[in-house]
Amino acid sequence: MKNIHKTVTALMQQGKGILAADESNKTANKRFDAVGVEQTEENRRKYRELLFTAPGVEQYLSGVILYDETLRQGTEDGMPFPEYLASKGVLAGIKVDQGLEDVSPDKGPEGGQVTRGLEGLEDRLKEYKTLGASFAKWRAVARVGDGYADPAIIENAKRLAEYACVCQSLDIVPIVEPEVLIDGVHSAEDTEGSLIESLAIVADALVKKGVKLSHVIFKTSMAVSGKDAENRAGAQEVAERTVRALKTALPDDVGGVVFLSGGQTPEEATGNFNAIARLEPFPWEVAFSFSRALQEPVLELWAGHDEKKELAQAEFLKRLTLAVAADAGGYSPGMESI
Ligand code: 13P
């Protein structure tokens, strides 16, 4: 249990966050396509190398979540990525779920989705551990309005608990991510309600399964308005609703709470995180664990051009600097232009 405790403490250390770079090949390809980058294994490697080798990245990152392919890749001069990250004091994690499945094929995603990946999980985790992973991630999704009685919510909570249990038996820290999706016209108040329901049911399932909460990190959405809502809530309201939801749903002894950006713009996610941090202290440490809010402008700048690598890395470092400033409650929108 000693190592797992150290991993939680390292991941949740103050002033750093976790980069989510665990986009599946399908998702990475979709993002490449949007900026005209050819969808090849080598381009995915190059892009991740750009991120991980940005100079000084270790000042801002405690960990990076990788995808299966990336965990097995390395830098141009042949150092495996987990080893490279370890040399900088950054922990490597691995996404182990295998994506979403519609509960009822005739209704599509609206009919609820469950996350696949329990089959063979223990063997995969054992291998990932030998490849250098010390923590893992499993993402489930819920739509605003899905509640305690929804069969997909219940099934997802059960699977998250099973996954967390297997991780802990191997000394791997599980990040449990019941994401409440931003899609829709709902209010921030509605998201707050959905956050409470989906987080509480997962916490309950973990306890019932005997998972040690202090060795679990929750990855959560913020209580934002739906992407297409007419009047979207401002940072103060989002922060108050988010913190209230977390305090209501989560036991005090969870190992930490990290935030996904979930389709917010980089400025919005950073501003909301900043407003959340200003409401500290909380019973648990909080940190950012963004993918898109750190990467979107970086990928756009790079767009597959080697000569843009340094410019893109500078943009990545800027986003990290701002996220870390937000973690201390010291971000302001004016800092975007520096
Ligand atoms: P976003 O920050 O883009 O939501 O990604 C975080 C993540 O890990 C999604 O599973």
Side-chain angles (χ1 to χ4, degrees):
M1 276 313 205
K2 258 198 174 148
N3 283 341
I4 199 168
H5 182 73
K6 270 195 205 149
T7 307
V8 175
T9 310
L11 286 173
M12 296 309 303
Q13 65 186 283
Q14 261 183 358
K16 292 188 183 182
I18 300 172
L19 168 68
D22 60 328
E23 300 82 6
S24 65
N25 288 350
K26 194 171 143 201
T27 302
N29 285 343
K30 203 166 75 187
R31 299 207 176 136
F32 276 11
D33 198 36
V35 295
V37 176
E38 204 192 337
Q39 307 173 350
T40 63
E41 181 174 344
E42 174 55 12
N43 277 341
R44 290 190 295 273
R45 190 203 63 76
K46 258 193 187 169
Y47 174 61
R48 265 64 178 252
E49 179 171 26
L50 178 159
L51 296 175
F52 307 157
T53 62
V57 86
E58 63 275 12
Q59 294 166 55
Y60 313 100
L61 293 178
S62 60
V64 177
I65 319 173
L66 306 169
Y67 182 62
D68 182 283
E69 177 183 274
T70 323
L71 189 75
R72 300 169 196 281
Q73 291 176 325
T75 58
E76 195 169 14
D77 48 18
M79 191 190 273
F81 282 141
E83 200 179 305
Y84 176 81
L85 291 167
S87 76
K88 300 275 170 189
V90 179
L91 297 175
I94 178 75
K95 169 191 172 76
V96 295
D97 68 74
Q98 295 179 319
L100 308 173
E101 187 171 42
D102 295 343
V103 174
S104 53
D106 47 320
K107 287 195 192 138
E110 257 79 80
Q113 292 176 299
V114 287
T115 301
R116 287 172 301 164
L118 284 178
E119 210 176 309
L121 177 62
E122 185 170 357
D123 289 340
R124 277 186 285 132
L125 279 169
K126 280 182 182 159
E127 192 205 354
Y128 290 146
K129 204 173 153 173
T130 66
L131 292 170
S134 56
F135 69 103
K137 185 193 101 171
W138 179 290
R139 171 178 179 258
V141 299
R143 278 165 184 72
V144 169
D146 296 348
Y148 288 126
D150 188 89
I153 295 265
I154 296 167
E155 182 59 25
N156 276 321
K158 250 172 63 185
R159 293 184 188 189
L160 277 162
E162 179 67 36
Y163 140 82
C165 197
V166 180
C167 285
Q168 288 192 346
S169 74
L170 295 168
D171 234 15
I172 290 172
V173 173
I175 295 185
V176 297
E177 183 184 16
E179 174 173 355
V180 173
L181 296 171
I182 198 171
D183 311 317
V185 296
H186 51 268
S187 65
E189 185 179 3
D190 295 334
T191 309
E192 181 185 343
S194 281
L195 274 177
I196 292 173
E197 297 210 28
S198 56
L199 291 169
I201 195 168
V202 173
D204 195 46
L206 292 172
V207 170
K208 285 206 179 101
K209 190 85 195 160
V211 172
K212 194 172 162 86
L213 290 182
S214 60
H215 292 164
V216 172
I217 293 172
F218 269 80
K219 179 157 177 167
T220 179
S221 308
M222 304 176 198
V224 292
S225 313
K227 191 101 184 155
D228 302 317
E230 256 175 41
N231 293 308
R232 306 198 63 233
Q236 189 59 28
E237 181 182 344
V238 168
E240 283 167 15
R241 293 191 181 285
T242 304
V243 169
R244 195 159 54 220
L246 294 173
K247 284 186 172 170
T248 307
L250 296 183
D252 287 358
D253 56 342
V254 303
V257 175
V258 297
F259 294 98
L260 58 97
S261 58
Q264 301 178 68
T265 63
E267 294 79 5
E268 193 184 356
T270 312
N272 287 337
F273 178 49
N274 181 67
I276 290 169
R278 285 194 184 175
L279 299 177
E280 286 189 88
F282 312 130
W284 358 258
E285 290 293 336
V286 296
F288 61 88
S289 179
F290 303 155
S291 159
R292 284 166 286 176
L294 289 172
Q295 292 189 47
E296 246 167 27
V298 182
L299 180 58
E300 264 171 41
L301 271 173
W302 175 63
H305 304 293
D306 287 342
E307 68 278 13
K308 296 282 178 64
K309 180 175 171 181
E310 269 134 53
L311 209 61
Q313 285 183 322
E315 181 66 20
F316 183 47
L317 293 170
K318 172 183 159 184
R319 291 264 45 104
L320 286 169
T321 309
L322 296 177
V324 165
D327 194 4
Y331 165 85
S332 67
M335 293 162 80
E336 291 287 345
S337 52
I338 49 166

